[in-house]
Amino acid sequence: MAALVAAEAAAPPGPAEAAEAAETAEAAELSRALSRLLPGLEADSKLSRRRALEALQRAIEAAWPEEPAAESAAAAAGFQGPWARLLLPRLLRCLADPAEGCRALAAHLLGLGLRRAARPRDALPRLLPALVARLAGPESERGRPPETCEELRLALVQLLGLAVRLGGAALAPHLDDAVRVLRCTLLDPFAAVRRESCQCAASLARATPDHFHMQSESLIGPLMQSISHQHWKVRVAVIEATGSVIQFGSGKSVDDVLPHFAQRLFDDVPQVRQAVTCVVGGWLLDLRDRYSFFHKLIPLLLSSLEDDIPEIKLAAASLWEKVGLQWQRENEDDLKDKLDFASPPPAHHPSPDHRPGLGCRELVFRNLSKILPAICHDVTDWVAGTRVKAAQLLAVLLLHAEDHVTQHLEVVLRTLHRACADDDRAVVRSGTRSAELVGAFVSPEVFLKLVLPALKKSPSPSGLLILASIVRGCPREALRPHLTLIATELARPHICQGSENHLYGEHLLLCVRTLVSVCREDCRQCSLWLLEVLVTTEALWGAAGLGDKVQETMDALAAAQDIDGRQDLYREHAGPLVEWLAVSHHDWTVHSAELLQFIVVVNHAGPALGEVLPHLVPVLRSCLQPSRDPQMRLRLFSSLSRVLLSAKQTVDSQGHFHHYLDTVTKDILVPNLQWHAGKTAAAIRTAAVSCLWALISSEVLSDEQIRKVQETLMPQILTSLEEDSQMTRLISCQIINTFLKTSGGVADADKLIKVYPELLKRLDDVSHEVRLAATSTLVTWLACVRSDDDAKSCYQSHIQFLYRELLVYLDDPDGTVQDAVLEVLKAGSVLFPELLARETEAVVHKHRSPALCQQLLQHLQAQPPAQ
């Protein structure tokens, strides 16, 4: 036995023993080296302490490279003893050194030591309290961290992060200290410190998953205070750190975090919004109690599907698809029937090729009742961005819910009313998109029972816009049985005259345009009601800029029925239209919507008016009586004048207007040409005179009919030559001229003699045009006298008086009037040339210039002698 022991003692050492011996030797050598340098750390001189630290750094970096080879693990083990026993305590004390440079070197050396030590976790019981003292002391609670240098605070937080990465689960007993440090550094004034703290918090959560939940809630407050930091990189770091803190911490904090995350979806920086998207998507996939928060997390992720940045939309779509597939796998038993008998996309699905997966659709459907009230609230938020996001999210939800939205339709429509009434166009645009989805997925039997009663109860632009949008999204086949109901409701006065708001008119017109574009030839069954709505729109809002759009819609309605233009559309419905309006004509005033509708029909019906004269003329006769509203009469006369100017294409298109000539002249024009005091009455007389001029110049009356009109109206027209209105006097002269031309030689002498004195008065008119019109009419009057040879002798005294008066105006200051009067005298010279010659010679010496008198005398001499 003794020999055996002796032999073993004499045998060479094995590899393990050799390594242990080498480790011991290196540790002894390091201990001796450190023993020589460490006393310098206690020197009074700042420079000496700094030099000692620098020497320690060189010694450590030279002896142990930063990335040692695998075979140098023994070196790390050899470093562990001196590091823990000699170097670590002194370096930790140096963290409180008065000299900033020394503190920085100490922090650096601590990092070197942790990376080179074989068991860095052994340093945690000493390191963490030291970091607490430097970063989370009493001063930090008052906003002044013990470490005043921000670069050093950054280095210390990086040191904490290194300890977390190297220590791993061993950090669990020191969670209190680590969290205490992070609570302070997450609010550090230096942005880089906050970013590093966020990374450290995330690493701490991942390193201690079994214990971190006990401390996680204490980090949420500081993180949320930093989530709106002015640096976007800090905001991104906070969001990512919050994701890890809640993922490995307590789910109770989700409710505290979500409002802040929702706010970050409005961030101007895309990276921030993308961070929110990725974190929320990660929670939906991996959060332990995610089922409890689906209704809160799904809106955030789906909101990113409408982001302006394509990368964010793609990331959100990818995450959402993964969430749906994962939920589908987890609930495969519940979805077995739907998976085995998958239904095709709805026939009118807006994007059947990109239909969301079954899991995504089911997730939305099962949580829709919890999400909709929040959207309904947010769509009225005072912040425009919130309203836009809420409206966009509603459209995404409806696209997923499909026909399941039927059971939530009342809430959805209430939300849409608020969205479509918004001032922001983006909100309205999303609202109309959602309404189109309602039309695509919900049966008309259902949505019309809610939409139409709401519209009848309270007509509004938003209600009309919703109806138009729903109709646009609805399949034509489904809408066909309800087309008449929609058209008749729109045509009800309570709806089509519901507001004077221009936007109301736009949306009312949009309803008709949409019905025509969707239903096309099916509109034939409700064409009359749609035309009534268009007439009302033109009447109430045509002057505000909708006139062209109304005419385009009428053309589209006509084309849908294979009718050649809106004129034929009026021809088909003119009778019912006028009857519809005539019901209330006894109560019309200038403010009556029915009056405006009637005027639209009169102005635009064209040839159709000739077919409805039995209904049209009685309405005009009743409404144009002097006892009715003067302003209304003015408007009607204006429309009637325009129509009569083109009578062959309007009221006389069938050649029957002459049957109503007596009514027009005796019952309409005569009462309105009678003189009454007041400016309004004068304006009405002007309108009536204009109407008469349009009638006799329209070429629809024969000479006999014009003479009949002359007999009735000549006294009133002669009186109107004295009107204050220049236009009335001018038109009256033109009317008398036409009357005289038509009467020719059959004019009654007594009546003809009454005309010329009134015309002579107009030669003194203040209006140059009226004076010239009077001279032209006198030429026609003289032609009437000349043609009446049998009674010419009875005119002699009157002609002599006329000659004398005209010769006075032959010396008028206005040369144009002189020339016109000369033409009158020449025209009248054939009646009594000798008489005219004598009268001319009697006044020639009185004229300022005898030239015109000489010219007239020469003309008389050149005439052949009277027979």
Side-chain angles (χ1 to χ4, degrees):
M1 179 63 69
L4 181 60
V5 171
E8 289 178 355
E17 291 80 357
E20 184 177 352
E23 177 182 337
T24 304
E26 289 179 4
E29 179 63 28
L30 178 60
S31 297
R32 287 193 294 272
L34 293 178
S35 298
R36 291 193 299 271
L37 297 174
L38 289 176
L41 299 179
E42 307 296 335
D44 294 334
S45 168
K46 175 176 66 174
L47 184 58
S48 299
R49 296 196 302 275
R50 184 182 181 93
R51 286 175 178 172
L53 289 167
E54 290 172 348
L56 284 171
Q57 179 179 349
R58 287 193 297 272
I60 295 173
E61 289 177 348
W64 292 275
E66 188 171 354
E67 295 181 0
E71 60 269 14
S72 63
F79 178 73
Q80 177 65 37
W83 153 256
R85 188 177 65 256
L86 299 174
L87 192 56
L88 179 62
R90 288 171 175 78
L91 289 178
L92 291 176
R93 285 200 297 271
C94 288
L95 289 180
D97 195 284
E100 185 177 302
C102 294
R103 299 200 301 274
L105 281 170
H108 179 65
L109 288 172
L110 285 168
L112 289 177
L114 285 176
R115 281 190 289 269
R116 285 158 175 75
R119 298 184 301 278
R121 60 183 177 274
D122 293 350
L124 296 179
R126 296 181 182 180
L127 178 62
L128 267 296
L131 293 177
V132 171
R134 295 308 301 165
L135 295 172
E139 294 85 354
S140 64
E141 298 175 0
R142 297 190 291 271
R144 296 191 303 273
E147 179 52 67
T148 57
C149 175
E150 55 187 21
E151 286 82 4
L152 264 174
R153 295 200 300 274
L154 176 60
L156 292 175
V157 175
Q158 290 171 339
L159 182 61
L160 174 61
L162 177 62
V164 171
R165 290 194 299 275
L166 296 176
L171 206 69
H174 310 287
L175 267 178
D176 286 349
D177 287 339
V179 169
R180 185 178 175 189
V181 169
L182 291 175
R183 282 175 55 83
C184 296
T185 55
L186 283 170
L187 300 175
D188 196 274
F190 189 26
V193 173
R194 293 200 190 201
R195 291 204 307 271
E196 190 66 33
S197 300
C198 289
Q199 297 175 9
C200 185
S203 299
L204 183 64
R206 289 190 292 269
T208 59
D210 296 333
H211 303 84
F212 184 73
H213 65 278
M214 295 184 290
Q215 297 288 342
S216 63
E217 292 183 38
S218 60
L219 290 178
I220 297 300
L223 283 169
M224 293 304 99
Q225 291 182 59
S226 296
I227 201 170
S228 57
H229 194 274
Q230 60 183 350
H231 291 185
W232 69 266
K233 291 184 179 180
V234 173
R235 301 198 295 274
V236 170
V238 168
I239 292 167
E240 292 173 346
T242 304
S244 296
V245 167
I246 289 182
Q247 179 69 48
F248 297 98
S250 172
K252 298 177 182 178
S253 303
V254 173
D255 290 335
D256 300 327
V257 167
L258 287 183
H260 299 277
F261 270 38
Q263 194 63 35
R264 287 308 100 206
L265 288 176
F266 301 100
D267 204 290
D268 294 331
V269 180
Q271 289 89 335
V272 177
R273 303 198 300 273
Q274 187 161 17
V276 173
T277 301
C278 293
V279 169
V280 171
W283 284 347
L284 284 169
L285 287 169
D286 302 321
L287 198 64
R288 284 191 294 269
D289 48 354
R290 60 185 179 277
Y291 277 53
S292 303
F293 299 106
F294 270 153
H295 66 285
K296 298 179 180 179
L297 297 176
I298 287 174
L300 296 184
L301 184 58
L302 293 186
S303 294
S304 297
L305 293 176
E306 296 294 320
D307 199 275
D308 297 332
I309 305 300
E311 290 79 4
I312 298 177
K313 295 172 69 172
L314 288 174
S318 176
L319 285 167
W320 178 234
E321 184 178 2
K322 292 177 183 177
V323 170
L325 289 173
Q326 176 178 290
W327 187 87
Q328 184 175 314
R329 288 193 300 269
E330 293 170 351
N331 298 270
E332 194 167 354
D333 293 339
D334 291 345
L335 302 175
K336 189 175 187 307
D337 290 342
K338 294 184 179 180
L339 289 170
D340 293 341
F341 306 99
S343 60
H348 212 56
H349 196 287
S351 54
D353 295 335
H354 300 89
R355 187 189 188 193
L358 176 61
C360 296
R361 300 199 308 272
E362 284 292 322
L363 270 175
V364 169
F365 165 55
R366 298 189 181 202
N367 292 278
L368 192 58
S369 60
K370 299 177 183 177
I371 299 174
L372 281 178
I375 294 179
C376 191
H377 174 268
D378 286 349
V379 87
T380 59
D381 194 88
W382 68 276
V383 178
T386 303
R387 302 197 302 274
V388 171
K389 283 288 185 183
Q392 290 175 341
L393 177 58
L394 178 61
V396 175
L397 291 172
L398 294 181
L399 187 63
H400 284 74
E402 295 184 355
D403 57 345
H404 294 297
V405 73
T406 303
Q407 58 190 281
H408 306 288
L409 191 57
E410 189 173 353
V411 178
V412 169
L413 289 176
R414 186 165 64 247
T415 306
L416 290 180
H417 272 285
R418 297 174 179 176
C420 291
D422 201 275
D423 295 331
D424 194 302
R425 291 185 177 180
V427 179
V428 176
R429 190 161 51 247
S430 295
T432 56
R433 180 183 165 201
S434 297
E436 290 176 15
L437 293 173
V438 170
F441 298 135
V442 180
S443 169
E445 288 89 348
V446 178
F447 68 68
L448 289 177
K449 289 180 181 178
L450 294 176
V451 173
L452 293 181
L455 197 57
K456 284 193 287 187
K457 181 180 179 181
S458 179
S460 65
S462 61
L464 291 171
L465 181 58
I466 290 170
L467 177 60
S469 302
I470 291 178
V471 168
R472 188 185 301 117
C474 190
R476 176 184 175 186
E477 297 75 17
L479 199 61
R480 185 182 294 121
H482 309 277
L483 189 54
T484 301
L485 171 64
I486 297 173
T488 53
E489 289 298 329
L490 288 176
R492 292 185 185 277
H494 181 61
I495 292 180
C496 68
Q497 302 173 25
S499 171
E500 296 181 359
N501 187 340
H502 181 268
L503 189 62
Y504 189 92
E506 280 189 7
H507 293 169
L508 180 63
L509 177 60
L510 181 62
C511 288
V512 180
R513 291 166 68 102
T514 305
L515 283 170
V516 173
S517 64
V518 171
C519 300
R520 299 190 290 279
E521 59 267 20
D522 295 339
C523 292
R524 186 183 300 276
Q525 60 182 291
C526 60
S527 177
L528 174 59
W529 294 296
L530 294 180
L531 185 58
E532 288 178 4
V533 177
L534 292 174
V535 167
T536 304
T537 307
E538 172 74 16
L540 298 181
W541 299 283
L546 291 183
D548 292 340
K549 292 182 179 179
V550 170
Q551 301 307 314
E552 292 173 5
T553 308
M554 285 188 179
D555 288 337
L557 180 59
Q561 304 175 65
D562 292 328
I563 296 176
D564 189 16
R566 53 182 175 272
Q567 293 292 335
D568 286 345
L569 185 66
Y570 270 114
R571 177 169 290 171
E572 185 171 330
H573 300 297
L577 276 177
V578 176
E579 289 182 24
W580 163 59
L581 294 170
V583 172
S584 60
H585 76 274
H586 294 290
D587 302 319
W588 288 357
T589 68
V590 71
H591 303 294
S592 299
E594 292 80 6
L595 170 67
L596 302 178
Q597 293 166 328
F598 181 79
I599 289 174
V600 168
V601 173
V602 170
N603 289 344
H604 295 93
L609 292 179
E611 301 177 5
V612 295
L613 289 177
H615 306 292
L616 182 67
V617 174
V619 174
L620 290 172
R621 180 180 58 195
S622 173
C623 293
L624 289 173
Q625 294 306 304
S627 59
R628 302 298 296 273
D629 180 13
Q631 297 297 330
M632 177 187 70
R633 290 153 59 202
L634 278 174
R635 298 198 68 167
L636 283 174
F637 268 127
S638 176
S639 295
L640 185 57
S641 297
R642 285 197 294 271
V643 168
L644 290 175
L645 281 174
S646 55
K648 287 185 177 180
Q649 292 78 39
T650 55
V651 291
D652 199 43
S653 62
Q654 306 299 312
H656 301 318
F657 183 70
H658 62 276
H659 297 309
Y660 301 91
L661 188 59
D662 280 349
T663 302
V664 172
T665 54
K666 295 178 181 178
D667 297 339
I668 294 178
L669 293 178
V670 169
N672 287 284
L673 287 172
Q674 292 177 357
W675 190 89
H676 296 280
K679 292 183 178 180
T680 302
I684 291 175
R685 291 194 297 275
T686 301
V689 167
S690 300
C691 195
L692 175 60
W693 171 242
L695 174 62
I696 65 175
S697 62
S698 63
E699 301 180 358
V700 299
L701 300 182
S702 64
D703 290 350
E704 180 62 32
Q705 290 167 343
I706 292 179
R707 284 195 290 271
K708 194 174 181 181
V709 172
Q710 175 186 348
E711 249 182 80
T712 305
L713 296 176
M714 181 62 94
Q716 285 80 10
I717 297 302
L718 289 175
T719 304
S720 65
L721 287 172
E722 299 290 340
E723 289 285 348
D724 293 335
S725 169
Q726 171 190 331
M727 180 181 294
T728 306
R729 300 194 303 274
L730 178 61
I731 295 175
S732 297
C733 287
Q734 295 170 339
I735 291 173
I736 293 172
N737 198 351
T738 301
F739 281 165
L740 293 175
K741 286 179 180 179
T742 306
S743 63
V746 297
D748 182 86
D750 293 336
K751 293 180 179 179
L752 198 60
I753 289 172
K754 296 178 181 179
V755 175
Y756 84 91
E758 302 300 327
L759 295 175
L760 274 176
K761 294 178 185 177
R762 290 307 99 215
L763 294 180
D764 287 324
D765 203 280
V766 296
S767 168
H768 181 74
E769 290 82 1
V770 174
R771 299 179 75 190
L772 294 179
T775 59
S776 177
T777 307
L778 282 170
V779 171
T780 306
W781 184 85
L782 288 168
C784 293
V785 173
R786 185 175 59 190
S787 62
D788 192 5
D789 293 332
D790 297 335
K792 188 164 60 173
S793 59
C794 70
Y795 290 105
Q796 182 170 356
S797 61
H798 298 284
I799 298 298
Q800 183 177 8
F801 176 75
L802 179 61
Y803 286 162
R804 289 176 181 173
E805 292 297 317
L806 289 174
L807 286 171
V808 173
Y809 293 105
L810 194 61
D811 196 35
D812 195 88
D814 191 320
T816 309
V817 174
Q818 289 179 355
D819 294 338
V821 170
L822 179 62
E823 294 302 319
V824 176
L825 289 169
K826 287 180 179 180
S829 64
V830 298
L831 295 174
F832 304 100
E834 298 83 359
L835 179 60
L836 178 57
R838 290 196 301 272
E839 294 294 336
T840 304
E841 291 170 350
V843 298
V844 64
H845 64 281
K846 300 179 182 179
H847 284 203
R848 287 169 295 183
S849 172
L852 292 180
C853 289
Q854 297 294 343
Q855 187 177 342
L856 177 60
L857 291 171
Q858 292 173 5
H859 174 77
L860 291 171
Q861 292 171 2
Q863 283 187 358
Q867 298 296 326

